[in-house]
Amino acid sequence: MTSLIRGDASDSAGDGDADLLVNEVAGVPGGIGDAARRARAAAFDRWLTPLLPDRPGIALVAVGGLGRRQCAPYGDLDLVLVHAGVPGMDELAPKLWYPIWDAGLRLDHSVRTLAEALSVAQDDVKVALGLLDARYVAGDRELADTLARTAADHWRRTAVRQLPALREITEARWQAHGELAFLLEGDLKEAAGGLRDVGILRAIATAGITDALRPAVRAAHLRLLDTRDALHAQAGRRVDRLVAQERDGVAARLGLRQPAGDAASGAVAPHDGDVLLRRVAGDARTVSHALDDAWRAADRLRSRRRGADPRPARRPVARDVVEHDGELVLARTAIGARPDPSLSLRMAAAAATTRLPIARATCEWLAAYCPPLPSPWPAEARAALITLLGAGPGLVPAWETCDRYGLIDGWLPEWTRLRSLPQHNPVHRYTLDRHLVQAAYEASRHTRDVDRPDLLLLGAFLHDIGKGLPGDHSTAGAPLAEAVVARIGLPEPEVALIGTLVRLHLLLPDVATRRDLSDPVTIARVAEAVGDGATLDLLHALVRADAAATGPAAWSDWKGRLVAELVARVRTALDTGVLPAPPDPDPALLDGPLPVVHLTGDRVAVAAADRRGLLATVAGCLALHRLEVLSADASTVDGRALVECRVQPRYGLPPDPIALAGDLRRAVAGDVSVTQRLRGRALAARGSGAAPRVVWHRDAATDAVVLELRAADAAGLLYRVTCALDEADAQVRAARISTLGGDVVDAFYLVGGWPPDDERARLEAAVLAAV
């Protein structure tokens, strides 16, 4: 167990006691669990008690984790020194705080009279919540008990009035930290569904508004506390964000292991940390759902106190669905009749379109009594699913509510495998299940761009269904998606189209960022795979929805322009049967004295006397000015070597264009001083991580073969690789750079036919040596 006290030893009076505290708490087995937290709190109490002078009218009160006896291994101490107007507190308080600081503990402290503490609580809802945890530690017990009792009484009287302000603060925190259930690296304390939200539930329960701390919530809270404690112990410091590199270690400390039988199910065996992440997701969902219920109960109570009708009217919103008191419930006729298998889906669709929550009792009734759907689904159920997926902002909360009560598993048995499944990719911000729902939500923004919006929504929802299974997830997912939509009741041609969308959902972004769009072979291959314009439109919309649901690192204006350019060229080929001609070189590069350098926006164009190595020289100069090359094209026209690049700043602001143009001119003219700077900078900036790979593509271009390098991203990588290829007598006519988190997939078009085995091995060795 990592010790509680940090910092070097000092000569302060508290050091001996601090060392005793360390030894005492370190003896708690593992330091994780409710008993360990209470032992830490008791040890702190014993250590703090003698620090307070024995004077009447003064009390040391713990709030926060110490007040609740839930001390984390590396948590803060939250203390209030309350007094009854005793003089000399300015001198007394530092004598209490300094030994704590000297012991290396983080301290949040305040000094207040009883009246001041209650006054601040009246004006600041966060202080009011903090005082609900107030607990006597030392000094005048009656004064401390009075503070705790009065603060609780005040909260009960004013909670309904103060909760709107608390909700506003809470939603701002959620906006900043996201939802713990769906984040791959969520904050266990601050994210929605985390420990901070349990404190709000405790406050609502203290006010008597609703039974917010049900047994399931209490159990989830204890598991989240255990996870937080294990994270502190694993990291050796206070940290509340469950980052990827700590997950397996935290899981081991909690004794979580992947069940041995899972490997036989056909799924890829996950890490132990995945088991932890799925448990955290389930607990966060429990907390979030309970808090949603509690907010609604508070809203109803506040409405009644304002004089609203104590018997709210029932308003029909859909067949068998009625709004009652701000929630959706079943119509009485639906409860009395034999349940329709589509009833739960129709209720979910109504909740999503009206953005009203489903009452808890209704969810429980549907989970208990709604019969399973037949195969194929009735048309009413199929229509309800499409309505649900296309509802926009109402989709996610409605889906989450239904998932919380097990309704989704009744619609889609495959959902059990997908729920809370981590995605081990830095560009993804959500777990797989939330990513799929989010993709459907994002696809609803593009339904007017396609002929079949229903198929777009289904394709977006099912596009990653193959993740977690062996092999390429697009290939593995296609038959699974086809089986789902066949069960839903789609006709065979539409089933096949959904399979195509899932199988090809990465085609457009992969080709747009890794292949030469001016090459007729590139366009012909995509046109052949897609088949028709309607499918092309669906794939284009699906690409944008998938990227938006993935995270900000998955998309950029440059990537969007490339995909749009590819779609336009493929559409021309599909509509006319004629492949678009390659674009002509920039005329400005073909006239005037050499060298020619043009800088316009994200484009860098250079013309120089025809010579080998021009592309490498330009790439190195751009790296020297901290510019990333997104694409590069090299050609020779009338004895002039032309290089055109699309670039973006690697860090911060773009470089000084005058300095960049000057260096480019000197470099392509053979200035030795620029070349030396290029080599020194590039060789000092090599990447790290997994071993790089080279993949060859034989028929991907009209006049070239494609060498694809997969490696860790690094400044100057393109310069080093193009230099190596040049020295190996390979002519590069184009390069395409695709960055995926910390890795790149760089495609180099090498002029000529398919090299023999020994030649490929030689070129491959040269490239890998340069990386």
Side-chain angles (χ1 to χ4, degrees):
M1 167 68 192
T2 307
S3 64
L4 275 168
I5 307 301
R6 280 79 64 198
D8 297 330
S10 69
D11 295 329
S12 69
D15 280 347
D17 291 336
D19 291 339
L20 180 63
L21 175 67
V22 173
N23 295 331
E24 184 174 1
V25 178
V28 178
I32 298 169
D34 191 55
R37 290 187 287 272
R38 289 183 172 275
R40 282 191 285 270
F44 275 127
D45 285 357
R46 287 190 292 272
W47 181 65
L48 291 169
T49 297
L51 298 180
L52 183 69
D54 186 13
R55 293 175 58 182
I58 304 174
L60 183 61
V61 175
V63 293
L66 181 57
R68 297 186 298 272
R69 294 187 173 90
Q70 293 172 350
C71 293
Y74 286 88
D76 294 351
L77 287 184
D78 298 309
L79 299 172
V80 179
L81 188 59
V82 62
H83 64 98
V86 176
M89 295 302 297
D90 290 344
E91 293 78 20
L92 173 62
K95 295 179 181 179
L96 174 62
W97 309 141
Y98 272 107
I100 300 173
W101 288 324
D102 288 343
L105 294 167
R106 297 183 181 91
L107 173 65
D108 188 1
H109 62 89
S110 61
V111 181
R112 294 187 176 112
T113 65
L114 181 62
E116 289 170 342
L118 296 174
S119 176
V120 173
Q122 188 171 1
D123 297 333
D124 189 333
V125 67
K126 291 193 290 186
V127 174
L129 258 64
L131 289 180
L132 295 180
D133 298 325
R135 182 177 62 82
Y136 167 81
V137 174
D140 190 331
R141 179 180 288 274
E142 182 177 352
L143 182 63
D145 291 345
T146 300
L147 173 63
R149 183 176 61 254
T150 308
D153 290 343
H154 177 266
W155 173 253
R156 293 186 187 96
R157 292 194 307 271
T158 64
V160 174
R161 175 172 55 81
Q162 294 198 72
L163 280 178
L166 177 60
R167 188 170 188 172
E168 183 177 346
I169 294 170
T170 301
E171 289 176 349
R173 171 170 52 82
W174 293 346
Q175 186 68 28
H177 294 279
E179 299 172 81
L180 180 58
F182 306 114
L183 292 171
L184 296 173
E185 294 189 338
D187 190 306
L188 296 170
K189 185 175 183 179
E190 302 292 348
L195 295 170
R196 186 78 74 187
D197 284 354
V198 178
I200 297 174
L201 285 171
R202 188 167 51 252
I204 294 174
T206 300
I209 295 172
T210 184
D211 179 21
L213 292 175
R214 298 188 291 274
V217 176
R218 295 178 186 272
H221 180 214
L222 290 175
R223 286 191 292 268
L224 288 173
L225 286 172
D226 289 349
T227 303
R228 187 269 318 269
D229 292 355
L231 178 58
H232 281 207
Q234 178 68 20
R237 58 189 176 87
R238 176 184 173 176
V239 55
D240 295 325
R241 185 173 297 281
L242 187 57
V243 294
Q245 61 264 31
E246 303 290 7
R247 279 204 297 261
D248 284 348
V250 172
R253 289 177 181 272
L254 294 172
L256 297 178
R257 293 288 185 271
Q258 177 62 28
D262 280 13
S265 67
V268 176
H271 303 282
D272 295 335
D274 293 355
V275 181
L276 168 66
L277 197 61
R278 298 182 90 154
R279 190 179 85 167
V280 168
D283 292 336
R285 283 172 152 161
T286 298
V287 172
S288 290
H289 200 73
L291 187 53
D292 288 342
D293 282 345
W295 288 133
R296 291 197 293 272
D299 290 343
R300 289 193 294 270
L301 180 58
R302 188 167 54 256
S303 178
R304 294 190 185 106
R305 289 187 178 181
R306 287 198 303 261
D309 188 347
R311 298 178 61 187
R314 296 167 65 90
R315 178 178 68 88
V317 298
R319 187 168 74 86
D320 298 328
V321 181
V322 175
E323 177 192 353
H324 175 72
D325 206 8
E327 296 180 324
L328 296 186
V329 300
L330 290 169
R332 295 184 179 95
T333 54
I335 297 176
R338 181 178 180 180
D340 176 0
S342 67
L343 184 57
S344 62
L345 266 166
R346 290 191 286 110
M347 174 64 75
T353 53
T354 62
R355 302 190 196 180
L356 291 173
I358 307 173
R360 186 174 76 185
T362 298
C363 291
E364 293 171 345
W365 190 94
L366 290 169
Y369 299 110
C370 192
L373 287 159
S375 181
W377 288 9
E380 201 168 26
R382 190 163 57 252
L385 177 62
I386 298 301
T387 301
L388 173 61
L389 294 178
L395 165 62
V396 173
W399 189 275
E400 177 60 17
T401 296
C402 293
D403 197 17
R404 190 70 208 140
Y405 288 92
L407 301 180
I408 308 295
D409 292 351
W411 309 338
L412 302 166
E414 298 85 355
W415 198 250
T416 301
R417 181 181 64 82
L418 306 175
R419 184 182 290 111
S420 302
L421 187 67
Q423 303 194 77
H424 298 287
N425 188 309
V427 301
H428 276 279
R429 60 180 171 179
Y430 291 131
T431 53
L432 178 58
D433 55 341
R434 174 57 184 274
H435 172 69
L436 294 176
V437 177
Q438 190 72 24
Y441 161 66
E442 300 292 348
S444 68
R445 303 172 185 267
H446 303 287
T447 51
R448 297 183 182 181
D449 302 336
V450 298
D451 292 337
R452 290 296 303 271
D454 55 337
L455 299 185
L456 171 61
L457 294 170
L458 288 169
F461 176 65
L462 297 171
H463 74 282
D464 276 348
I465 193 173
K467 283 191 173 178
L469 298 176
D472 178 80
H473 75 277
S474 301
T475 303
L480 297 179
E482 290 174 349
V484 169
V485 294
R487 189 169 69 244
I488 288 173
L490 264 60
E492 184 57 37
E494 296 175 7
V495 170
L497 180 53
I498 290 294
T500 298
L501 294 180
V502 173
R503 189 174 61 258
L504 300 182
H505 75 271
L506 295 177
L507 174 68
L508 296 182
D510 282 355
V511 171
T513 56
R514 301 180 188 179
R515 295 293 178 264
D516 181 3
L517 302 189
S518 65
D519 193 316
V521 169
T522 300
I523 306 305
R525 291 252 175 120
V526 175
E528 181 183 5
V530 171
D532 58 74
T535 303
L536 180 65
D537 289 337
L538 286 169
L539 284 170
H540 191 196
L542 176 53
V543 164
R544 289 173 285 173
D546 184 17
T550 298
W555 197 248
S556 65
D557 291 342
W558 166 247
K559 191 171 184 177
R561 290 197 300 270
L562 283 179
V563 172
E565 179 184 348
L566 173 62
V567 168
R569 289 174 175 269
V570 172
R571 189 185 312 282
T572 299
L574 290 171
D575 291 345
T576 67
V578 178
L579 296 174
D584 294 326
D586 184 352
L589 299 178
L590 302 179
D591 295 321
L594 297 175
V596 179
V597 174
H598 283 174
L599 307 179
T600 54
D602 63 354
R603 177 174 172 270
V604 175
V606 175
D610 189 12
R611 66 177 179 82
R612 297 184 61 109
L614 181 62
L615 175 58
T617 300
V618 172
C621 198
L622 296 175
L624 184 65
H625 287 263
R626 295 180 174 86
L627 285 172
E628 288 184 329
V629 178
L630 302 172
S631 69
D633 292 289
S635 59
T636 302
V637 178
D638 297 332
R640 290 184 174 224
L642 311 180
V643 172
E644 297 187 58
C645 300
R646 296 287 180 175
V647 299
Q648 67 182 11
R650 178 172 281 269
Y651 308 109
L653 297 174
D656 178 5
I658 297 177
L660 173 59
D663 274 352
L664 282 168
R665 288 190 180 94
R666 287 192 295 273
V668 300
D671 190 321
V672 177
S673 64
V674 178
T675 307
Q676 290 174 340
R677 289 165 58 205
L678 297 182
R679 291 186 176 277
R681 176 72 61 86
L683 293 176
R686 294 180 179 271
S688 59
R693 288 183 58 211
V694 166
V695 179
W696 292 87
H697 299 273
R698 183 168 193 163
D699 299 318
T702 54
D703 60 347
V705 295
V706 176
L707 181 154
E708 196 172 79
L709 170 65
R710 303 174 184 181
D713 190 16
L717 179 62
L718 179 61
Y719 168 61
R720 295 198 301 274
V721 174
T722 49
C723 279
L725 289 170
D726 181 58
E727 292 169 0
D729 295 325
Q731 182 181 350
V732 180
R733 75 157 174 81
R736 293 293 180 271
I737 284 70
S738 177
T739 303
L740 306 170
D743 291 339
V744 293
V745 179
D746 292 352
F748 298 90
Y749 282 68
L750 308 184
V751 176
W754 183 249
D757 292 347
D758 58 343
E759 179 67 6
R760 291 202 311 276
R762 186 178 68 84
L763 293 174
E764 183 172 331
V767 168
L768 293 177
V771 175

